[in-house]
Amino acid sequence: VQLQASGGGLVQAGGSLRLSCAASGLTFSSVVTGWFRQGSGEEREFVTGISRSGGSPKYADSVKGRFTISRDSAKNTVYLQMNSLKPEDTAVYYCATKRSFSSFSLPMSPHEYTYWGQGTQVTVSS
């Protein structure tokens, strides 16, 4: 299994970015997928996630209303659309997956996820 995250970059506050997570060796409809981020000197934190069913994604309070997770089954890719970016969104963003028997399970702890992408840097300037 390989996850390839891309789409990060430098953007001004208020701007937008779309991150992509492409997978090989699995299909996203068979796993739980999460986006996490880790700022400098900080612990990795949950940003958003989508269950196998694809319904009712979860979002961290800090990104609700600004970030949207989506999944394109044809391209086997998960996206993270980030709007109204703030300097505090600056971090390395990771996509991660875990296999689950449940169609609706969606854990928020990074320790529960098995496969990780390499991370993509997002920097938001003020």
Side-chain angles (χ1 to χ4, degrees), residues 39-103:
S40 180
E42 299 178 0
E43 294 189 354
R44 194 166 297 189
E45 65 174 359
F46 177 84
V47 175
T48 181
I50 190 166
S51 64
R52 281 179 50 201
S53 72
S56 301
K58 290 182 183 178
Y59 295 92
D61 289 342
S62 58
V63 307
K64 278 181 182 176
R66 300 187 298 122
F67 290 11
T68 303
I69 188 172
S70 62
R71 190 170 72 191
D72 186 330
S73 297
K75 296 182 178 179
N76 203 30
T77 300
V78 171
Y79 300 99
L80 177 61
Q81 178 66 43
M82 306 187 295
N83 299 328
S84 302
L85 282 161
K86 304 176 181 180
E88 51 263 44
D89 294 319
T90 295
V92 178
Y93 284 71
Y94 301 88
C95 58
T97 63
K98 72 177 296 290
R99 300 192 187 279
S100 174
F101 292 109
S102 168
S103 295

Side-chain angles (χ1 to χ4, degrees), residues 2 4 11 17 20 27 31 34 41 65 73 84 87 90 92-93 100 102-103 109 111 118 122 124:
Q2 285 191 326
Q4 182 72 36
V11 64
L17 284 173
S20 300
T27 56
V31 297
S73 297
S84 302
T90 295
V92 178
Y93 284 71
S100 174
S102 168
S103 295
S109 169
H111 303 292
Q118 84 286 7
V122 172
V124 184

